[in-house]
Amino acid sequence: MSLPNCPKCNSEYVYEDGLMLVCPECAYEWNPADSVEEEDGLVVLDSNGTRLADGDSVTIVKNLKVKGAPKDLKQGTRVKNIRLVEGDHNIDCKIDGFGAMKLKSEFVKKL
Ligand SMILES: [Zn+2]
């Protein structure tokens, strides 16, 4: 049986530790039975816990202050064609009247 590469750093030196798999390079541990990772390994959930994907459309679930913008982003604003990215603000998108920006997935809901 061959072990998968580390989903975080793609190391091939993963080893088994009981039920867990452990990566010696970035110290990431995971249970291979937990989930089947997508190719990019990026899991982004909306405010309802629904998994989001590139190209999804979402709505904003609360009014959000936008740095440098003259107005708030209103609850109910639709955002089309999102792109998932790594990090704290894990959705890359373009919003009419605001331009390109990043959102936190916890503040959106999948349409
Ligand atoms: Zn690793």
Side-chain angles (χ1 to χ4, degrees):
M1 177 189 150
S2 74
L3 296 173
N5 287 359
C6 173
K8 290 245 167 173
C9 70
N10 211 32
S11 164
E12 57 189 305
Y13 302 110
V14 166
Y15 62 90
E16 282 178 293
D17 183 11
L19 285 175
M20 305 295 284
L21 295 179
V22 181
C23 171
E25 298 201 45
C26 70
Y28 184 59
E29 294 183 28
W30 73 102
N31 183 338
D34 263 357
S35 63
V36 179
E37 297 280 340
E38 301 264 302
E39 278 168 32
D40 58 6
L42 201 56
V43 177
V44 174
L45 303 178
D46 74 1
S47 56
N48 291 328
T50 304
R51 188 160 178 187
L52 299 171
D54 283 350
D56 276 352
S57 294
V58 298
T59 54
I60 309 289
V61 297
K62 61 175 278 189
N63 291 345
L64 298 173
K65 281 225 178 304
V66 181
K67 242 192 207 159
K71 53 185 178 175
D72 287 358
L73 199 51
K74 284 274 187 301
Q75 181 181 356
T77 302
R78 286 190 174 212
V79 184
K80 280 191 265 182
N81 198 18
I82 62 169
R83 202 167 64 84
L84 305 181
V85 294
E86 304 253 11
D88 181 31
H89 288 66
N90 45 11
I91 294 175
D92 222 354
C93 60
K94 246 182 172 170
I95 301 177
D96 288 344
F98 290 92
M101 61 184 305
K102 287 191 170 172
L103 296 170
K104 290 188 181 188
S105 60
E106 65 202 79
F107 298 137
V108 305
K109 189 174 67 166
K110 186 171 170 163
L111 283 175

